[in-house]
Amino acid sequence: MANLQAIADAVIKGDRNTVSAETEKALSSGVPAADVLNQGLVAGMEVVGKRFKANEIYVPEVLIAARAMKAGMALLEPALAKAGVKPVGTVVLGTVKGDLHDIGKNLVGMMLTGGGLKVVDAGTDVPPEKFVEMVKSSGAQVCAMSALLTTTMPQMGAVVQALKSAGVKVKTIIGGAPVTQSYADEIGADGYAADAASAVDVTRKLLGAA
Ligand code: B1M
């Protein structure tokens, strides 16, 4: 019997073995991957975020919870990313310079792959010049950036500017907890998405494939 609350609780405790076991159980009993993700893994990480903010837990506990969440996400990946679909475009995706948060970025990557896009993962702490270089070398039509810190958000503007200065013809999309549509407008990004699922819709729209 699938128990999504058990997945959330195990993420909160940082118990990756239980996260993996319960995620496998849920998937094999037919629970949709999106429910396992949202009601299990993401629900658990939301509690972790609140406790972190309230100084009830600290960075090591958050890291252990993040590792547990990643174990569950690795199991969900094949279900989220349906194989065999011809890519409708290529996206370079990275977390901007100074920022090491990659859980949301990885989720966006999985959903984009599932949405029929080829994703070139630039990793975390990616400086503007690396985004430019990777967009050029991959021939990507979209450059997607994630930022989780208010202090690293300005890097997104720096990437938009660097792409323009390099004369690279590419659409840009941004997202991450502190990012908003008005911020996207301010820095001249072509798109903004609040979550991984909308990132797929916005990217496909930017490519004219919606
Ligand atoms: Co950090 N951290 N963290 N952290 N951390 C936050 C972001 C924070 C909000 C916590 C808090 O105070 N409540 C806070 C930022 C405050 C601010 O700037 N406003 C914070 C801080 C302060 C820090 C440090 C500075 C702490 C310190 O060292 N004192 C430090 C910075 C390190 C650095 O990056 N240079 C730090 C470190 C860490 C860990 C390493 C411990 C760990 C990251 C592990 C990892 O990613 N591998 C961590 C974590 C896990 C968090 C919280 C708890 C959870 C983030 C997460 O993974 N959420 C976070 C609190 C919170 O957000 N509740 C916090 C789950 C994930 C699925 O959601 O990433 O938001 P999220 O992604 C969503 C959407 O935002 C969107 O889609 C995703 C899902 O639908 N999205 C996009 C994301 N990218 C997108 C791109 C798109 C479109 C949508 O288009 C391209």
Side-chain angles (χ1 to χ4, degrees), residues 6 39 58 68 75 88 98 109 122 132-133 155 160 170 177 182 193 204 206:
Q39 294 165 41
Y58 299 97
L75 294 168
V88 291
V132 173
E133 181 195 307
Q155 284 297 321
V160 172
V170 67
S182 68
R204 289 180 65 94
L206 290 176

Side-chain angles (χ1 to χ4, degrees), residues 53 62 98 100-104 145-146 148-150 175-177 193-196:
K53 195 172 182 180
V62 179
L100 301 173
H101 296 87
D102 68 354
I103 297 175
M145 294 160 258
S146 179
L148 264 285
L149 301 171
T150 41
D195 54 55

Side-chain angles (χ1 to χ4, degrees), residues 47-178:
V47 174
V48 171
K50 282 187 191 134
R51 292 187 183 169
F52 187 41
K53 195 172 182 180
N55 292 323
E56 289 166 13
I57 58 168
Y58 299 97
V59 172
E61 288 99 318
V62 179
L63 269 179
I64 293 167
R67 194 182 59 177
M69 180 167 182
K70 280 185 181 178
M73 277 166 57
L75 294 168
L76 287 185
E77 190 163 9
L80 289 172
K82 285 169 246 129
V85 184
K86 195 175 173 289
V88 291
T90 301
V91 181
V92 166
L93 169 68
T95 304
V96 296
K97 186 176 169 186
D99 202 321
L100 301 173
H101 296 87
D102 68 354
I103 297 175
K105 169 189 72 71
N106 293 343
L107 204 47
V108 169
M110 283 181 206
M111 297 295 277
L112 288 175
T113 307
L117 291 133
K118 180 181 170 197
V119 175
V120 179
D121 191 344
T124 58
D125 191 18
V126 184
E129 56 278 13
K130 189 171 173 198
F131 274 109
V132 173
E133 181 195 307
M134 290 190 74
V135 166
K136 278 185 181 168
S137 61
S138 64
Q141 296 84 16
V142 178
C143 178
M145 294 160 258
S146 179
L148 264 285
L149 301 171
T150 41
T151 49
T152 57
M153 279 168 65
Q155 284 297 321
M156 296 174 145
V159 175
V160 172
Q161 286 311 317
L163 288 165
K164 272 194 189 133
S165 308
V168 185
K169 207 174 153 274
V170 67
K171 300 281 187 191
T172 49
I173 168 173
I174 63 171

Side-chain angles (χ1 to χ4, degrees), residues 7 15-28 31-34 36-37 41 67-81 107 110:
I7 298 176
D15 176 354
R16 70 173 157 176
N17 291 334
T18 303
V19 169
S20 297
E22 291 294 334
T23 299
E24 260 168 2
K25 219 190 277 175
L27 289 175
S28 61
V31 179
V36 179
L37 179 66
L41 299 172
R67 194 182 59 177
M69 180 167 182
K70 280 185 181 178
M73 277 166 57
L75 294 168
L76 287 185
E77 190 163 9
L80 289 172
L107 204 47
M110 283 181 206

